[in-house]
Amino acid sequence: MRDLLQPLDHGPTSTATRAERAFLAALDGGCQVPIGALVSDIGGTPTLYGMLADLSGRHIVRGSRVLDLRSPESTGEALAAEIRSRGGSSLLVSFVSYPNFPAPQPE
C-alpha cells in the first residue's frame, strides 16, 4: 500500500506538516487553544512560524526557526520549548482557570 500511495506524497508539504504538528503536540495544542504553526518558504529558506495566545488575544508569544529538513519534528519541538520559556507555559496554565473552558477533544 505504501508503494501505491508514494506518488501522492509531496515531500515539502510532508516535511512542513511534520514540523507544524510537532510544534502543536509539544504545546498540547488542539482546537481549544489559540495556537498556530505555519512553515513558509519566503525567500528560499523554509521557516517554521509559531504562536500561542491567551483566550482574549491580548497576550501573544510568537517565534520562528529555520526548518531542519532532516528533522522537522525537532524544529517544531525546539520552537515550542522557546515559546514556553518566553511566557507560553504561563499562558497554557491560565487556560484551566477560564470558566467553561472546553475539555480537549480527540483530534
Side-chain angles (χ1 to χ4, degrees):
M1 184 58 97
R2 187 172 297 214
D3 292 337
L4 183 65
L5 295 175
Q6 181 59 38
L8 300 176
D9 181 45
H10 182 252
T13 300
S14 177
T15 300
T17 302
R18 289 167 46 204
E20 293 163 356
R21 288 182 178 173
F23 173 80
L24 298 173
L27 291 173
D28 298 320
C31 296
Q32 297 77 20
V33 177
I35 187 173
L38 173 70
V39 171
S40 180
D41 193 0
I42 298 172
T45 303
T47 303
L48 173 63
Y49 297 90
M51 61 78 64
L52 177 66
D54 68 354
L55 291 180
S56 70
R58 282 186 237 141
H59 303 289
I60 303 172
V61 182
R62 292 182 176 97
S64 64
R65 287 200 174 239
V66 172
L67 187 62
D68 179 348
L69 299 175
R70 290 168 285 132
S71 181
E73 293 86 357
S74 66
T75 305
E77 292 163 359
L79 181 56
E82 178 187 327
I83 295 284
R84 279 186 184 269
S85 73
R86 294 189 13 246
S89 288
S90 61
L91 289 177
L92 291 169
V93 169
S94 72
F95 293 140
V96 296
S97 67
Y98 284 97
N100 302 319
F101 186 73
Q105 301 297 311
E107 298 293 328

